[in-house]
Every structure is written in C-alpha cells, then in structure tokens.
Amino acid sequence: MDFHKLSLKQFPQATKHVAPEKSYWLKLRAPHELPQVAAVTCIDANPVAPYDFAAATSTRVQLYSTTSNDIKKTFSRFHDVVYSAAFRGDGKLLVTGNANGQVAVLDVASRTVLRNLHGHKGAVRAAKFSNDHVHIFSASDDKTCRLWDLATGSPVAVMGGHTDYVRAVAAHPASSSMWATGSYDHTVKLWDMRNAGSASTKATMSMDHGAPVEAVLMLPGGNLAISAGGTDIKVWDLLSGGKLLHSFSSHQKTVTCLSLDGPKTRLLSGSLDGHVKVYDLASYEVVHGYKFKQGVLSLALSPSNSHLAVGTADGLLTVRKRVNADGAVAAPAPAPRIKRSFKYTLRGAQAKPSDADHVVTARRQARCAPYENALRAFDYRKALDTALDTRNPTVIASMLEELRLRTGWQKALTDRSEESLEPLLSFCIRYVADPKYSALLTRLCTYLLELYTPLLGSSQSTLLLEGLFFKLQNKLREEMSVQASILQLMGMVESVMTAQATANVEG
C-alpha cells in the first residue's frame, strides 16, 4: 500500500496586494552595512558607470565600489572634518569641502590633490562642480558663497547675501551660470553668475522657507526648485518669481538630505527620525519608505537606481542593492558552439514536440521528510519528536492531528522523560491560545494532564516539569479571563443595541 505524505493543515490567509511601485522599491534589499569612524555627513554617486559612491566621514572620503560591495579607495589627505564630497559630471574629479574652510579637488583615479582653494573663513558645508566642468561653487559657514575657476584656483565671484550659515547648493540642470543655495537664515536664493564680478554679487531671487534650510534641489528643466528645512519640504516655481507651489511633510524630525532617482521622477528624503521616504513628483505622495536605527544625515541613489546608499548619525554606511536593476529576468548564457563531428550524436536534441505529439512525463517519487519517514515506520514517538525539531507550528499541529486520527497519542505521549516532554509543553504554552490551534491543543492538554498529573508533587517530578505545567495552567487562566471580558463586552453591546432598537420602535 502506498504511503501518503503528511497533509499539512491549511489556514485561510489574508490576500496582500503589492502595488507595482512598492514592489519596485522593495527590490532594494540585502543591505550591506559598513561601520565608519564618525557620522557620514555626505554621500554622492558617480554619474559614470559603475556608479561608485563617495562618502564623507570624519577626516576622510571613502569610495564605495558597487561592483565589489566594499570600500576600494580612501582619500585621507585632509587636516579637518570633511563635510561635502561631489563628483564632476565625467566622474574623474572629486571636490570636497572641509571644516577648515578649504575646498579641495582630487583626482579619483590617482587620489592626487590637484587644487586647494583657500578663501572661506568658515567651514565649507557644500561644494559642487558646474555643468561646464571648469567652475566650482562652494557654500560656507562664513555666510558667503564663492564661484571658483578650476584652472587658476581663484574665485570668480563672492556672494554674501545670506545672513547665516549656508548649508546647501544646487546647480541648474540646463545652465552653468545659475545656482541655488539654502541657508540657516530660512531663505533659498537663486544666483546668476553671468553678471558676476569679483565684488559681492546680489541674489536674483529669494524665497522664505520658514525654517533653517538643510538641502536644496533643482528639478530637470530648471523651472522648479525643492528645499528641505525643519520637517517640511517645499516646491518653488522659479519662472513665476519664486512662488510656493506645494508644501508637504511626512517626517517627524528635521529633514537633512534630498536626492533624485535616475529618471528624475521620484524624490527621496532622509530625516533625523531615521526614515527615508520616496515621493512621486507627479503627486508628491509617499510611495515607499525605509527605516534605519539612527538619524539619516545623507543619502544618494545611483543613476541606474540599482544601489541606494544611506549615511546615519551613528557612523554607519548602509548600501542597499537591487536584485535586478532593470526588473527583467537575466538572460541565460549562450550555448556553446557544437562541432560538426558531433552532429550525428546530437541529432534531435533541439527538436520540440508538436501539438499532436503526446509527451510522457517521468513520475518522480516525492522525497519524505524525517518525521514522515518515522510516521511511515509507525514510530509515533520519533515522528512527534522530529516534528517538534522543525519548530514549525503548522507541521507540529498537523502531526498531532494525524496521530490523533491514528489513535497514536498513547504510544507517542506516554512514559516520556522530562527532556522529551519539555518541547511539547512549551509548544502548548505558546500556541494554546491561538485560534488556529486552540481546539486541538486544548484536547492535547487535557490528555497530558490525565497522564502526568499523578506524577506532579511526587518524587519522580522535577521543578522544571512542575513549572511547565504551572505555566500552562496560568496561560489557560489568562485566556479564560480574556474570553470572559469579551463575553461581558458583547453583552453590554447587545444591551445597548436592544435598547436602541426598542426606542426606535416606540418612537
């Protein structure tokens, strides 16, 4: 007679609908955590493949490789804390801003310092290359911004319109002469460098954010700017003179950083509340989010959306990798070329059956689990023990139900030692109040009490065995108390509903 495998108990499951947008961002998983010596203050993604990340932490800049998933270079020729690091458009140069007011330009390939730009009297919090690759725009705690000529290393213009620390810089995507800055004086200013001179330059436009500005972005086309300060993110229309178009908030603490995805259709924000939120720029609604243990200070997404790097206040660089960057199944490797001498041997190997052909499928014998092998041998005690070893409540409950139907409880449960009885009692204590297993386990507990109650309090009993039975007793009392409270509540609700129905009839 054929042996039928153990039929696992089936329970109804709630259907979960995952939207395509959420499913897309859920593929950024398997985070790789790299502890740093201090807080990760800035992260920038190389615009050129393979899109390595530059992370500024303490007095160094780490270059994270998306290919090897590890730090491949370290730039450590700094004398003070590095607050900013940004790649040039071709990915060959890196510009940094330091706490000593210095702006440094480095060669990514050789790690050589090409330029040291001096002029700021306070810490440089942001520095970026212009779109023409020959100018650098920097912002400092000395309340000024400077435009530098990379060839000569001298400042082209000095902007002193802010009245507090300048913490954010954004380049215009279509013009190398337009820049946006954000300051702790609550303003976002737009600067036009076409009429700039060596003297102090005035801002073309100023917008009041209403809180110290931590981050600034400009959307493709250059018509809209986004600023983050406090818990609010605001969208400004630059063509209409800096009109506020939209303001939204989904964080509980200060928003510290902003970033765009590769296609420039999604906005990412990081906050001190430890959350990273993803917004749809068409509706400004949150489509996904990630949670981190500490406050988020910096983040960057690779242009291919394949890697997300996040830096936190506790000095942890976390990189999430997409399982498949384009969402498609990887194509198999091409088959090797077959020599002509094997043509006869391999004849018919590529033939495919037609609709009229009958395909004979080989019947594969199902492999049995260890508890099924014991059940097949009528060793009920071993079958129960191996099922308990799986720690799968569905398997254990199915095995107990099968043994009950086979009238095998007596053989499986009697004369058990303390060591073999402990996993079974622990399972009962944990799941006896679960509605999925309560009917079966209530009957099992009654049977166990009938078997082992005479041993409790005798010389054969131990403190562990008695403690497990007392825990089971307390669990059942607690569940009975909850059930009694529920019945009382249902009675009160029925009384109120009956009184309401009677009043409606009399009225």
Side-chain angles (χ1 to χ4, degrees):
M1 185 173 64
D2 293 339
F3 171 74
H4 297 282
K5 296 186 66 177
L6 180 65
S7 179
L8 299 181
K9 298 174 71 68
Q10 300 293 326
F11 302 102
Q13 296 181 355
T15 57
K16 294 183 180 180
H17 175 69
V18 180
E21 178 83 18
K22 189 174 183 65
S23 176
Y24 178 81
W25 293 105
L26 281 173
K27 291 180 180 178
L28 283 172
R29 55 179 183 263
H32 185 206
E33 297 181 345
L34 297 168
Q36 305 297 316
V37 295
V40 183
T41 54
C42 181
I43 301 177
D44 191 44
N46 195 326
V48 179
Y51 313 119
D52 295 336
F53 291 105
T57 171
S58 185
T59 59
R60 66 187 66 178
V61 176
Q62 306 273 18
L63 194 63
Y64 177 87
S65 172
T66 57
T67 304
S68 62
N69 292 328
D70 205 353
I71 300 296
K72 70 175 184 180
K73 287 184 181 180
T74 300
F75 302 88
S76 57
R77 298 181 181 181
F78 305 101
H79 302 291
D80 212 329
V81 177
V82 183
Y83 287 121
S84 172
F87 285 100
R88 197 168 69 171
D90 56 4
K92 296 180 179 180
L93 298 184
L94 190 69
V95 60
T96 62
N98 309 331
N100 58 5
Q102 178 180 291
V103 178
V105 181
L106 303 96
D107 181 29
V108 175
S110 63
R111 296 186 297 178
T112 306
V113 179
L114 303 179
R115 285 283 187 274
N116 280 321
L117 310 178
H118 302 278
H120 284 293
K121 298 179 180 179
V124 178
R125 297 287 180 165
K128 293 184 182 295
F129 282 100
S130 63
N131 296 333
D132 58 12
H133 295 182
V134 295
H135 291 90
I136 295 173
F137 196 96
S138 61
S140 171
D141 283 352
D142 62 6
K143 308 176 187 178
T144 67
C145 304
R146 292 173 183 261
L147 182 67
W148 305 85
D149 183 7
L150 182 59
T152 62
S154 59
V156 177
V158 179
M159 284 68 70
H162 287 291
T163 59
D164 208 335
Y165 301 152
V166 189
R167 292 298 177 91
V169 169
H172 195 283
S175 173
S176 59
S177 60
M178 302 293 292
W179 294 86
T181 58
S183 169
Y184 274 14
D185 62 6
H186 298 194
T187 64
V188 177
K189 294 185 182 295
L190 187 68
W191 308 88
D192 189 350
M193 299 291 101
R194 286 173 291 189
N195 299 323
S198 58
S200 181
T201 304
K202 294 184 178 180
T204 305
M205 193 180 303
S206 181
M207 295 150 283
D208 185 8
H209 183 89
V213 179
E214 298 283 352
V216 175
L217 278 180
M218 298 189 74
L219 297 185
N223 299 333
L224 300 178
I226 299 179
S227 61
T231 59
D232 296 324
I233 301 175
K234 296 187 177 183
V235 184
W236 309 92
D237 186 1
L238 302 182
L239 293 181
S240 62
K243 178 182 178 182
L244 179 62
L245 292 182
H246 191 62
S247 178
F248 54 98
S249 175
S250 61
H251 291 284
Q252 303 299 320
K253 293 184 179 180
T254 301
V255 181
T256 57
C257 49
L258 298 173
S259 180
L260 294 174
D261 70 335
K264 313 297 183 185
T265 59
R266 300 293 183 268
L267 173 70
L268 287 83
S269 66
S271 169
L272 292 179
D273 60 8
H275 287 271
V276 171
K277 300 293 180 69
V278 184
Y279 308 87
D280 185 355
L281 286 177
S283 60
Y284 301 109
E285 294 182 352
V286 178
V287 296
H288 192 62
Y290 303 96
K291 181 67 175 73
F292 296 87
K293 297 178 182 179
Q294 294 292 330
V296 176
L297 297 181
S298 55
L299 67 90
L301 189 64
S302 63
S304 61
N305 285 4
S306 60
H307 291 77
L308 172 64
V310 177
T312 54
D314 60 346
L316 195 65
L317 174 63
T318 303
V319 182
R320 289 175 173 265
K321 182 180 179 182
R322 187 176 300 280
V323 174
N324 196 337
D326 56 3
V329 178
R337 297 184 62 182
I338 302 174
K339 297 181 180 180
R340 290 183 180 273
S341 58
F342 291 98
K343 184 176 181 180
Y344 180 79
T345 306
L346 299 177
R347 68 190 189 282
Q350 304 297 328
K352 296 182 179 180
S354 62
D355 296 338
D357 294 334
H358 176 71
V359 180
V360 179
T361 57
R363 184 179 179 181
R364 300 180 60 183
Q365 186 175 3
R367 182 176 297 178
C368 294
Y371 53 84
E372 291 174 324
N373 289 329
L375 190 65
R376 186 174 187 174
F378 300 99
D379 191 349
Y380 295 156
R381 184 184 295 270
K382 183 178 180 181
L384 180 57
D385 289 338
T386 51
L388 288 168
D389 291 339
T390 65
R391 298 190 177 183
N392 188 334
T394 304
V395 172
I396 299 172
S398 302
M399 177 59 70
L400 289 170
E401 183 67 22
E402 180 67 20
L403 294 178
R404 186 187 67 84
L405 295 176
R406 294 189 179 200
T407 62
W409 274 12
Q410 183 177 3
K411 185 178 179 180
L413 300 175
T414 55
D415 298 329
R416 279 184 168 266
S417 63
E418 176 186 333
E419 291 76 10
S420 62
L421 194 60
E422 190 270 336
L424 183 60
L425 288 175
S426 298
F427 175 77
C428 293
I429 294 170
R430 184 172 184 180
Y431 293 101
V432 70
D434 193 323
K436 295 187 295 185
Y437 312 109
S438 58
L440 173 66
L441 295 185
T442 302
R443 182 179 297 183
L444 176 65
C445 291
T446 304
Y447 190 82
L448 290 174
L449 288 173
E450 293 177 355
L451 288 177
Y452 293 97
T453 297
L455 298 179
L456 299 179
S458 65
S459 59
Q460 301 178 11
S461 176
T462 62
L463 292 177
L464 176 61
L465 185 61
E466 292 181 357
L468 290 172
F469 275 103
F470 280 125
K471 283 185 179 180
L472 181 59
Q473 182 184 26
N474 293 334
K475 185 71 173 181
L476 292 174
R477 284 180 178 175
E478 180 183 348
E479 181 64 19
M480 290 175 64
S481 177
V482 172
Q483 294 293 337
S485 300
I486 293 175
L487 290 175
Q488 291 178 2
L489 181 61
M490 292 177 60
M492 289 187 289
V493 172
E494 290 179 358
S495 300
V496 173
M497 294 179 65
T498 303
Q500 182 66 27
T502 304
N504 292 338
V505 172
E506 291 177 354

